[in-house]
Amino acid sequence: MKVYNGKSVFGGIAIGKISVYNKEQQQIERYHVEDAAAEVERFMRAKETAVNQLKALYDKALAEVGEANAMIFEVHQMMLDDLDYNDSITNMIETQKVNSEYAVGVTADNFAQMFSSMDDDYMKERAADVKDISERLVTVLSGGNGEGNKFSEPVIILADDLAPSETVQLDKDKVLAFVTRQGSSNSHTAILARTMSIPALIGVDVETDGAYNGVKAVVNGFTGEFIIEPDQETEQKMEEKRQEELEKKVLLQQMKGQGNVTLDGQTINLYANIGNVEDVASVLQNDAGGIGLFRSEFLYLESNDYPTEEEQFAKYRQVVETMHGKKVIIRTLDIGADKQVDYFNMDKEENPALGYRAIRICLDRKEIFRTQLRALFRASAFGKLSIMFPMIISVNEVREIKKMVEEVKAELKEQGIAYSDDVELGIMIETPASVMISDMLAKEVDFFSIGTNDLTQYTLAIDRQNPKLDPIYDPHHLAVLRMIKTVVDNAHANGIWAGICGELGADPELTETFLAMGLDELSVSPSLILGLRKAIRSTDVSKVKEEVLAKF
């Protein structure tokens, strides 16, 4: 038994035989051509064939993984028509009188090296795209069909790497999992794997020379382990774990497509909390009604410098487009306290949870905030986007934010940049101050989202990061629950909606309580959506409401 470790791209357990993936690579040779014009024409015909193949891949991906994930094949079509790329190939053919395969191969290496040397992670990913389209061209020029590997039985695919086109071409019914030596968790292939719900590992230092073809293995997408020739005890444990996961999925899949409606007809929205673009696949997979909290600070935490407007816009746009018109609520930058970013150069604080954080930073460093607002409103043109602001303690803060919003919208309008006028603006309710003036705040915004994690620590004066205080940290404390009810009541009295995006929203012991309070929305981790929906659909609020509300 051999155990290799890698990084999990998608969870799950797979047990089966290994199939080493063989790319349709041709040995590229350089040879002289007499008729350069005819060779250029041969290249153009091959390019046309490659474009048609990519169109077919787009249609297949559109049906299987949705429009946003299929877009990569439109991008590849555009890359094939890129003027610089084509000029490099045709100029080489005409001036050096060499064959098309060689010209494509050299151009691919040059462009891939150029992209790989860039600092921007997004641009680095384009190196793999250039290689992918170039390999497709060489395959067509060499007489290949570009259809990839075929499998006679379900297998665990082992490869050096998999291009997006190769992943989409896989017969999902014949793929148990895939394991690659290379790849990135932000690559198109990783995103597709998550969307297709295929257990996958990347960065596994295992031989791919064919020695393991047909050998039994286990992929543990929860721990990142790749176990080759597992012993009987290990295989049995993994099989039991796999069966457990399957049973859970089968049970909860019955909840997909069902309404979030109680037995007595009360409806509540179930949204998902996410930290990055890659999590959207899990949101869709678990049938969430929208995204109730996109933690935009992760764009800053994962970067070595301030994310540019373009970088942020690209991420926000991708999320709203992928959600196909479902609501996406993006929280503006919420750093400070336990989320520190070195390049912000913030002073050390004795009480960071009570210090310079979240909206306080944004209203102090307005250019950072303005950049984010511009990116957000630009993305609003591509879907149903809402914006919420964290750590609010006063009406004046909200009014200052709204003033900046209007300035940003005026700038975009003047510059002819599209944005939506139908963007809800909301605030996080996570301080006792915001609870106590929630009747006044409700007149200024479109919605409230209650951040129960911070609200609990501020209400109880307990640092939630301090393990010594765990025994007395009580999110069920009557004071916390009364505050939640106060916020909901004040929201409804002023015609706006109120939800919860903290961890408390998924607490099964409080589902009845939140329904009785009349909360309009609960936003939780994607994996908890279907279980929470099941609990909602089995609750009769009319039978418990009087008893529950009597506590408050």
Side-chain angles (χ1 to χ4, degrees):
M1 182 172 81
K2 293 183 179 179
V3 181
Y4 297 87
N5 291 290
K7 183 175 181 180
S8 176
V9 169
F10 189 81
I13 304 288
I15 303 173
K17 293 180 181 178
I18 296 171
S19 178
V20 178
Y21 190 92
N22 297 310
K23 291 179 179 284
E24 283 194 58
Q25 292 180 322
Q26 302 289 332
Q27 187 66 34
I28 298 178
E29 296 181 1
R30 172 178 175 154
Y31 59 83
H32 180 78
V33 296
E34 293 295 337
D35 190 342
E39 189 65 13
V40 169
E41 180 60 31
R42 186 168 82 93
F43 160 68
M44 298 304 290
R45 288 197 302 271
K47 189 180 80 166
E48 185 179 352
T49 299
V51 168
N52 288 332
Q53 289 177 355
L54 288 167
K55 286 178 180 175
L57 283 176
Y58 174 83
D59 292 338
K60 187 174 189 294
L62 185 65
E64 292 182 355
V65 294
E67 183 177 4
N69 291 310
M71 286 292 290
I72 181 57
F73 301 111
E74 284 195 342
V75 173
H76 280 194
Q77 291 174 55
M78 289 188 285
M79 291 178 77
L80 276 174
D81 285 325
D82 180 77
L83 190 60
D84 291 333
Y85 179 78
N86 280 267
D87 282 350
S88 175
I89 295 169
T90 56
N91 286 341
M92 197 175 297
I93 294 171
E94 291 169 347
T95 58
Q96 300 181 31
K97 290 189 178 295
V98 293
N99 55 308
S100 298
E101 294 90 338
Y102 179 77
V104 170
V106 171
T107 297
D109 289 342
N110 292 340
F111 274 61
Q113 185 176 1
M114 176 183 69
F115 283 122
S116 296
S117 66
M118 294 181 177
D119 293 331
D120 186 86
D121 288 340
Y122 176 82
M123 296 309 294
K124 283 181 179 179
E125 291 290 347
R126 303 291 69 75
D129 293 331
V130 170
K131 289 180 179 178
D132 193 12
I133 63 169
S134 300
E135 285 173 4
R136 178 173 297 280
L137 271 175
V138 171
T139 298
V140 173
L141 287 163
S142 305
N145 59 19
E147 291 184 357
N149 291 217
K150 301 292 183 183
F151 309 105
S152 58
E153 62 177 327
V155 294
I156 294 170
I157 295 174
L158 175 60
D160 281 326
D161 199 3
L162 285 168
S165 55
E166 292 167 330
T167 309
V168 168
Q169 287 176 146
L170 298 175
D171 182 350
K172 287 169 64 179
D173 294 333
K174 298 289 176 61
V175 180
L176 299 172
F178 73 71
V179 177
T180 64
R181 287 173 58 88
Q182 302 172 38
S184 130
S185 58
N186 296 317
S187 68
H188 297 297
T189 303
I191 295 169
L192 288 170
R194 285 189 283 262
T195 306
M196 295 164 70
S197 301
I198 297 174
L201 307 179
I202 59 173
V204 181
D205 189 16
V206 58
E207 299 81 4
T208 56
D209 57 5
Y212 291 131
N213 249 333
V215 175
K216 197 165 197 179
V218 173
V219 174
N220 188 337
F222 299 111
T223 64
E225 291 179 309
F226 181 42
I227 307 168
I228 297 176
E229 294 184 304
D231 57 37
Q232 187 174 355
E233 182 182 357
T234 299
E235 185 177 344
Q236 184 176 340
K237 284 182 179 178
M238 290 296 102
E239 179 58 35
E240 289 173 0
K241 177 74 172 172
R242 192 178 74 88
Q243 288 299 328
E244 277 179 31
E245 292 302 315
L246 286 174
E247 287 170 12
K248 287 180 186 175
K249 284 183 179 178
V250 169
L251 189 62
L252 289 178
Q253 289 308 304
Q254 299 171 9
M255 292 293 107
K256 275 193 173 182
Q258 300 292 321
N260 310 312
V261 185
T262 63
L263 292 173
D264 57 322
Q266 181 175 323
T267 300
I268 188 170
N269 288 318
L270 276 190
Y271 292 168
N273 298 335
I274 64 172
N276 53 50
V277 176
E278 290 70 37
D279 293 339
V280 177
S282 185
V283 175
L284 296 173
Q285 181 188 346
N286 287 283
D287 198 31
I291 294 173
L293 170 61
F294 179 98
R295 301 179 177 94
S296 71
E297 59 270 15
F298 281 90
L299 299 180
Y300 297 78
L301 291 164
E302 295 166 358
S303 178
N304 295 320
D305 202 352
Y306 298 102
T308 66
E309 180 182 325
E310 290 303 321
E311 288 169 339
Q312 293 188 62
F313 165 63
K315 295 289 188 182
Y316 303 148
R317 174 179 174 174
Q318 187 177 345
V319 173
V320 295
E321 283 186 329
T322 307
M323 288 303 293
H324 306 300
K326 291 182 177 179
K327 183 178 290 188
V328 174
I329 303 175
I330 299 180
R331 179 175 69 190
T332 57
L333 177 62
D334 185 12
I335 62 165
D338 58 322
K339 290 176 284 191
Q340 294 293 323
V341 181
D342 289 342
Y343 56 84
F344 272 72
N345 298 313
M346 294 190 292
D347 296 332
K348 182 176 175 59
E349 297 177 297
E350 290 299 323
N351 294 299
L354 303 177
Y356 190 59
R357 59 172 300 192
I359 201 65
R360 298 167 184 177
I361 295 174
C362 290
L363 292 178
D364 182 45
R365 304 187 185 186
K366 288 188 169 61
E367 283 311 305
I368 295 173
F369 194 31
R370 190 180 303 278
T371 297
Q372 182 171 34
L373 289 175
R374 281 180 59 90
L376 286 166
F377 272 95
R378 286 175 61 191
S380 72
F382 298 88
K384 192 173 183 180
L385 186 147
S386 300
I387 305 171
M388 66 180 177
F389 308 97
M391 285 297 294
I392 298 297
I393 62 168
S394 73
V395 171
N396 285 339
E397 285 175 330
V398 177
R399 288 175 178 166
E400 189 173 355
I401 291 166
K402 289 166 69 175
K403 180 182 176 183
M404 286 190 68
V405 165
E406 291 306 314
E407 290 171 355
V408 165
K409 289 164 68 175
E411 284 176 6
L412 294 175
K413 187 173 183 178
E414 184 179 346
Q415 294 165 2
I417 298 174
Y419 67 89
S420 172
D421 268 325
D422 188 25
V423 175
E424 283 188 327
L425 299 180
I427 60 171
M428 297 278 291
I429 299 289
E430 45 196 339
T431 65
S434 61
V435 173
M436 297 308 294
I437 60 168
S438 55
D439 57 333
M440 299 165 65
L441 291 168
K443 294 176 171 61
E444 300 287 337
V445 296
D446 299 307
F447 67 93
F448 288 152
S449 188
I450 305 169
T452 55
N453 302 342
D454 272 330
L455 182 60
T456 301
Q457 80 162 341
Y458 292 137
T459 300
L460 303 183
I462 291 176
D463 180 1
R464 60 190 175 101
Q465 304 294 325
N466 188 340
K468 289 183 180 180
L469 301 177
D470 282 352
I472 59 172
Y473 181 84
D474 180 16
H476 290 205
H477 196 290
L478 184 58
V480 175
L481 297 179
R482 279 183 172 177
M483 284 190 166
I484 293 172
K485 185 176 184 301
T486 296
V487 172
V488 175
D489 290 345
N490 283 334
H492 292 169
N494 287 279
I496 68 170
W497 64 267
I500 287 178
C501 64
E503 291 180 13
L504 211 58
D507 190 328
E509 293 181 32
L510 291 173
T511 302
E512 283 187 351
T513 299
F514 292 150
L515 288 167
M517 286 181 180
L519 275 149
D520 303 287
E521 174 242 29
L522 296 173
S523 190
V524 300
S525 297
S527 61
L528 302 176
I529 292 287
L530 296 177
L532 187 52
R533 177 175 295 160
K534 184 180 179 184
I536 289 167
R537 290 178 61 82
S538 60
T539 301
D540 188 333
V541 183
S542 63
K543 292 183 178 179
V544 299
K545 189 169 185 176
E546 187 175 342
E547 179 185 349
V548 169
L549 295 184
K551 301 174 185 176
F552 306 105

